[in-house]
Amino acid sequence: MRFLCFLLAAVVGLPGLGAEEEPNPAKIPPRQMRLLTVGEEPPFRQEIRDGVRYQLPAPPGSLPPSALAVMSLSKDGTEKESGLLRLRIGNISAPVTVPGGAGQLVLRLPDTEAGGEPWHRIQRPESGDFLVVMWRGAENNTWEKPSSFLVSTRLPAGQASLINVASGPVAVVYDSEKIALPRLKILRRPLPPGKPLGFQVGLPQGNTLQRLVSRSLEQPPGHHSIVVFYRADGERPRSPLGMEVVRLKAESLPGAE
């Protein structure tokens, strides 16, 4: 009988049997978040005082903040700082390491305190590195209440991701393929290294296409291009559609899929 009790105790204690083994946080690989703000900068303004030209600051809300504190929010509402992001419109930020698993990230101006209303909130995905594309809120066309869209950056080399964050669908002629790209959708297509590929972008108008952008894409080996189409948000935009292209080194992202 003693031997039987000992045998049962040993079996229950084996991994995978009885109580589940607690996950080891040390085994969770670090994940990174980047941020890309898209849009147009306000026009340059200046004034002359006593014969000297002075540059005037941009109007409030016409530019995203130059820096943001990234805070991870725990289940009990406690905020923990993950890092500081330096922002410049049209440029992809340096990466910030954020916790694994789904949850909320809070973006705060560096001089604001926890508990107050943050500048923006993000629901991070369950796993993987990701990019947050941000643009002016359509309600008041300012950066005070921006909109955002998350994109995975676990991407293979030799491809391009076409992302539409404009006000409606856009029409794309990629090489010779005609594509209708809905709003807040991603389309991935091959982009071989060192080989320029022409494409056109416009807005559908009934059965016709209002062509707005015509250019070529090219990328070096080991890279993945991200092409973002957005609503032109300047004071007097020449075109209703804007476009931003950034590139990431795909070989530096383990487990690309």
Side-chain angles (χ1 to χ4, degrees):
M1 180 64 69
R2 291 181 180 178
F3 177 76
L4 179 60
C5 292
F6 173 79
L7 181 61
L8 288 174
V11 170
V12 171
L14 289 176
L17 295 176
E20 293 185 0
E21 185 181 9
E22 290 292 330
N24 186 358
K27 295 181 180 180
I28 301 177
R31 59 195 307 220
Q32 294 183 331
M33 180 190 84
R34 296 173 183 262
L35 201 150
L36 171 66
T37 54
V38 296
E40 300 178 21
E41 296 188 4
F44 177 81
R45 301 188 307 161
Q46 64 180 6
E47 68 177 12
I48 300 176
R49 299 194 298 267
D50 299 327
V52 180
R53 296 179 182 271
Y54 294 91
Q55 181 179 353
L56 297 176
S62 61
L63 283 174
S66 58
L68 285 172
V70 181
M71 317 293 292
S72 58
L73 195 65
S74 63
K75 292 182 180 180
D76 62 1
T78 305
E79 294 183 7
K80 181 180 179 181
E81 184 170 349
S82 295
L84 189 69
L85 284 174
R86 300 289 181 181
L87 304 183
R88 184 180 176 188
I89 196 165
N91 289 262
I92 193 168
S93 73
V96 167
T97 301
V98 297
Q104 189 174 113
L105 294 174
V106 174
L107 303 183
R108 291 191 176 278
L109 301 177
D111 56 350
T112 59
E113 297 182 358
E117 186 64 23
W119 184 69
H120 194 67
R121 297 177 185 269
I122 295 168
Q123 293 294 334
R124 65 179 184 264
E126 181 69 30
S127 62
D129 301 334
F130 59 97
L131 170 70
V132 183
V133 180
M134 302 192 73
W135 62 98
R136 294 192 199 193
E139 182 179 348
N140 52 9
N141 198 37
T142 74
W143 283 98
E144 295 175 354
K145 293 184 178 180
S147 300
S148 62
F149 184 65
L150 271 61
V151 184
S152 171
T153 52
R154 294 171 62 86
L155 301 169
Q159 288 194 8
S161 291
L162 310 180
I163 304 168
N164 177 19
V165 299
S167 302
V170 299
V172 182
V173 181
Y174 190 86
D175 200 3
S176 58
E177 181 186 6
K178 297 180 180 180
I179 304 166
L181 184 58
R183 183 175 185 268
L184 301 183
K185 294 296 181 180
I186 305 173
L187 187 70
R188 294 192 172 99
R189 286 294 183 268
L191 182 58
K195 181 181 178 182
L197 186 147
F199 79 107
Q200 298 177 340
V201 184
L203 296 176
Q205 292 186 341
N207 295 326
T208 63
L209 171 66
Q210 179 190 5
R211 288 183 173 85
L212 302 174
V213 179
S214 181
R215 59 173 294 179
S216 63
L217 282 178
E218 186 175 1
Q219 66 182 356
H223 283 69
H224 187 109
S225 294
I226 296 179
V227 184
V228 182
F229 308 115
Y230 60 90
R231 173 183 59 88
D233 55 13
E235 292 185 4
R236 291 181 294 272
R238 298 179 181 178
S239 166
L241 198 65
M243 184 181 71
E244 200 69 61
V245 181
V246 296
R247 296 179 180 86
L248 292 174
K249 287 187 176 181
E251 72 270 15
S252 64
L253 304 171
E257 53 189 28

